[in-house]
Amino acid sequence: MENLYLISFGEIALKGENRPFFERILIQKIKQALRNFENIRVQKTHGRIYCLVDGPREEVIDRLKKVFGIVAISPAHECELNMDSIKATALSVMKETDYRGKTFKVETRRPNKSFPLKSPDVSREVGAHLLTNLEGLKVDVHHPDIEVEVEIRERGFVYCERIPGPGGLPLGCNGRAVLLLSGGIDSPVAGYMMMKRGVEIEPVYFHSFPFTSDRAREKVIDLCKVLAEYSGRMRLHVVNFTDVLKELGEKGPDELLTILMRRMMVRISQEIAARVGAKALITGESVGQVASQTMEALIATNEVAKMPVFRPVIGFDKVEIMDLAKKIGTYDISIEPYADCCTVFVPEHPKTRPELEGVHEAEEKFDIEELTKTGLRDVEVIEVV
Amino acid sequence: MREVYLDNSATTKVLDRVAQTMYDVMTKYYGNPSSLHRKGIEAEKLIRKAREIIAQALGVKPGEIYFTSGGTESNNLAIKGAAYSMRRLGNHLITTAIEHPSVLDTFKQLEKEGFCVTYLSADGEGFVDTGALQKALRPDTILVSIMYVNNEVGSIQPIEEAAACIHQNKNTLFHVDAVQAFGKIPLVPGLKGIDMLSISGHKIYGPKGIGALFVKEKVRINPLFNGGGQEQNIRSGTENMPGIVGLGTAVEEAFENLSSWRKIMRDLKKRLKDRILQEIPDTVLNGPDTDMNGSGSSSDTINEAPHILNISFLGTRGEILLHTLESHGIYVSTGSACSSHKEGRSHVLSAMGKSPEEIDGAIRFSLSPFLSMEDIDYTVEVLKKEVAEIRKFVRR
């Protein structure tokens, strides 16, 4: 059974010259999200996308809710271009919703000017038809609970539901970035937030077996699977970080170990970014959350970055990040008890205010270029779908 | 790469003969023993045979063996079943601080339901003191549950003395969790003085998901499940045919080879223990410290299981060592999860008074008779190298 969905997009509509570009990407993403269904037809009209699909309504809506750029999804009914058909369809649309004790108004759009009645007249007739046939319904043209939308184009459409989509911009319209993904709560959320702004992400995970177990790696793959629901696919880069970690652990000063480690992670991630055509890094850092995320620590980490480092949750409280994680479905995976970097390397008292001078001095003991190569020697690429 | 499986107390590999029997049951003798036709009778006969084998191994009657889904269920059935059915006679229960969670947590639940529970402590080698048991016994004690062999450190508890103690109380039932003892060491002949005893299939080279509970003839316990009334109404549910027959076969093997397997494991354990303690600095034995003479004479004073060895490598973390060994094909388990949190730490080692560092660096090696001396020597060599390596990174 074919179902029709009207899709509204928000921000894209505000774009000027580039609007067709954004719309094209969005249509492509919608088709990709619905690729498992039969008979997909996606059409663009002015400020709307029409989507005809064969498939269970709930599943289709679930998929569309994960397409960035979509502001709302409205399951719609089609009708003939005559008033009887429009009225009957409006009545059945209304009967599908919980209308009792609610207020409503009818809104008509008539791009098809060959239709004899004007928009306000259509609205009035449809409204009257609904009022006479339904109990407990009131009109309120200013703040209605339910807005019945009638569109008169080459065919007629009636709908009243608006299911919110994720908003944002279509994925890929804003380039690509490498996400430093740990098994924690924050980094998947940071990834999601950038994806919402149209940035494709390539996650990098630093695996340090035997200091962490292979279960930690599985956990990160599971996190990628959740994020991939929004993008259709994802390429995870698993860096074998053990030798780098050992070298740092052996020669580095305890209290700076975390900072040195993070600087190495940035260096290695940048190399991977260059390989995959990514132009920025994304981290889940939130200022002041832990010792390695104080202003000074962030400065020390940032110093080695040659490209922008996006930190979308920088100003979020832990609770706010947790709420978002729950919303996008990564929270339950993130809290599984497999540490992403064993506590062995976390000193009793890390320096919370590392000075760059001290950091530089500590790094003199290492051949940084060689160490970066060591980290890149064994990178496993996993296609997550 | 050589594979050395030293985690036989977690689970074991099924013997080929056991697997073959199970395959035949699943594909040829697939009847429901409750069915009235020939297929049902055929299945019933197979169950009877398995029940007889297990009863014979324990020196008890076939009618005293009830099949369950494993050790956890056997423990739950015995403890809850006895506590609920004996409640009118008293409200006091006794167990130990070093039991398996399937026993400990069951008692914790009964405590919430209003029973009064005494937890006996263990000494530094993992033994429960029968003197303390004697003191804890009250006229209103209805159940005592003590494990036969501790699963983490391998201490064999004084079950016979405990049974004698408990026997003075007419209304007190004695349950023994023998999951780590059955098929590994000789048990009390005829299970004298024991009212209930739990066993499990997958610890003795049998399948997972099958176990049994011995319940002495005149002991009445309440079932956990309602249903079709199988297993004399004590454990409803269609019998797990392949599991039951597989368990029977595994028990047959284990008891035919009990003394030879025991001797092999003892020698392996002695070699592993001696070499680690002598050749790797800062190692601590957790558990019984009897000097086993390698002659294999089964003296009655031996109170450590032949297959479990627990050693702390100070200045390491058990979990890191575990993963390191794994990369060399050696599989062990730890005394605690890799965390600075208390919750992750082994309750057994804590009860034995071990220090946090000893607990964090604890590794359990559990043996099988299918290992060779070369396997042990390979393990020791890897340990020597890797323990030193890890100690470079772990801040003490």
Side-chain angles (χ1 to χ4, degrees), chain A residues 341-354:
Chain A
C341 191
C342 192
T343 45
V344 165
F345 290 96
V346 178
E348 280 294 323
H349 302 289
K351 237 192 170 67
T352 50
R353 307 207 179 289

Side-chain angles (χ1 to χ4, degrees), chain A residues 292-356:
Chain A
S292 62
Q293 294 176 15
T294 59
M295 183 81 78
E296 287 79 1
L298 288 169
I299 290 166
T301 311
N302 212 48
E303 194 201 19
V304 296
K306 297 193 196 79
M307 46 177 71
V309 181
F310 298 132
R311 301 179 175 85
V313 298
I314 194 74
F316 280 41
D317 288 352
K318 193 75 194 184
V319 177
E320 290 170 319
I321 301 174
M322 275 157 53
D323 287 346
L324 247 173
K326 284 173 191 164
K327 195 184 111 186
I328 64 181
T330 54
Y331 182 79
D332 286 340
I333 303 169
S334 287
I335 57 171
E336 286 171 14
Y338 311 115
D340 52 306
C341 191
C342 192
T343 45
V344 165
F345 290 96
V346 178
E348 280 294 323
H349 302 289
K351 237 192 170 67
T352 50
R353 307 207 179 289
E355 282 136 19
L356 283 178

Side-chain angles (χ1 to χ4, degrees), chain B residues 315-332:
Chain B
T316 70
R317 296 276 176 87
E319 200 164 332
I320 301 174
L321 190 47
L322 177 149
H323 293 313
T324 310
L325 292 173
E326 170 188 4
S327 61
H328 292 278
I330 302 166
Y331 300 98
V332 298

Side-chain angles (χ1 to χ4, degrees), chain A residues 209-214 245-250 252-254 257 342-345, chain B residues 317 319-327 338-340 386 389-390 392-395:
Chain A
F209 189 89
F211 301 102
T212 51
S213 92
D214 277 339
L245 206 49
K246 279 185 171 176
E247 177 88 2
L248 294 175
E250 228 171 323
D254 263 12
L257 209 51
C342 192
T343 45
V344 165
F345 290 96
Chain B
R317 296 276 176 87
E319 200 164 332
I320 301 174
L321 190 47
L322 177 149
H323 293 313
T324 310
L325 292 173
E326 170 188 4
S327 61
C338 177
S339 66
S340 44
E386 296 295 355
E389 178 74 6
I390 292 171
K392 280 195 223 161
F393 306 108
V394 176
R395 274 93 186 138

Side-chain angles (χ1 to χ4, degrees), chain A residues 4-17:
Chain A
L4 174 74
Y5 304 87
L6 295 189
I7 290 168
S8 34
F9 39 88
E11 205 176 325
I12 298 175
L14 306 176
K15 304 279 173 204
E17 304 272 302

